[in-house]
Amino acid sequence: MPTQRTLSRRQLMSAVLALTATGLAGNAQAQAPAQTQTQTQTPTQAQAWPTKPIRIVVGFPAGSSTDSIARVLADHLRAKLGQTVIVENKPGANGVLGVTEVARAPADGYTILATNSSSITVNPQIYRKISYKMADFAPVSMVVSAPFVLTVNATGERTAAVNTVADLVTLARALPGQLTYSSGGPGNLAHLGFEMINNRAGIKTIHVPYKGGVAAQIGLLGKEVDAQLDTPIAVPHVKAGRIKALAVTTAKRWPDLPTVPTMIEAGYPGFDVSFWLGVLVPVQTPPAVIQVLSNAIRSVREDANAMKILQLQGTVELNDPVAFSAQIRAESASWGEVIRRENIQVD
């Protein structure tokens, strides 16, 4: 029988980062991201922009899915716009630190937010103390959308024999309140999604929040937790046999994991949860500047190398500001129902 090798946390972090590099309207109308701007401008504003370096702020750590798309976009925008574009990571509190910084930044197009859906559609609804709201931002473009993948450690003491969602539910019922799952922080969509599983399956598992999705994945790989709702960055570890994928959370199977069933197929009708990664700017940013930026981002379709990397993170969407704003309002209303039902609040 082969000897199991135990990796240190630093070795696990290095492995994850290497694989990543290669591998939410009811009352919300008042809070919805603005689709129209009150500022006026002349065409020369858009023609002149940009004239200085652009910052893309990411509220998550290096190696995260959001960080990966930000760096792809930075390279593309640098070539498309002819200006320096830098990525700044401001991780913490499920993206709150980075999002807050952009909300307070000058609305001139030179500070851009690359973020995930939970920081915009969920955080303002669950954090009791938060200094931004959806209305502080103007959507520019969604970049990718993707499912979560329900995973367990393949060699975990309690999960080695778990191969299906039914197996996991059976184990959780046998060990009520003992199984643990990781997420990138309190209130993110992976947390809410797992609580939906708990609710639908009638089980009780323990949430162990980490500082970001990469750290949450390392916790699973290091057997600190039993399970996780991960993003597609889990795929290389699934294929390598380090973790098992039990189901994906969208209505359709994920192309990179064609043999892995959906939660619907696993016996949970109507279970359809996904997340997006996208770009927003401070709400008073001139509309003409937003349009130039949106067009430049959506032209990434012409960049084969960039598209290849983005497709590792999810389905490339690249919608326009109006469509993106409508989707954010709809998702905010939907997640608001989940938050109220599950009574989830974070200090």
Side-chain angles (χ1 to χ4, degrees), residues 60 94-96 99 113 115-124 132:
F60 301 92
N94 193 30
V96 169
V99 179
L113 175 66
T115 195
N116 63 19
S117 42
S118 64
S119 66
I120 301 298
T121 63
V122 172
N123 285 0
Y132 71 85

Side-chain angles (χ1 to χ4, degrees), residues 54-78:
I54 298 168
R55 286 194 310 149
I56 301 180
V57 177
V58 178
F60 301 92
S64 64
S65 296
T66 311
D67 176 75
S68 296
I69 68 132
R71 295 185 186 280
V72 172
L73 292 180
D75 289 342
H76 178 72
L77 292 175
R78 193 178 296 122

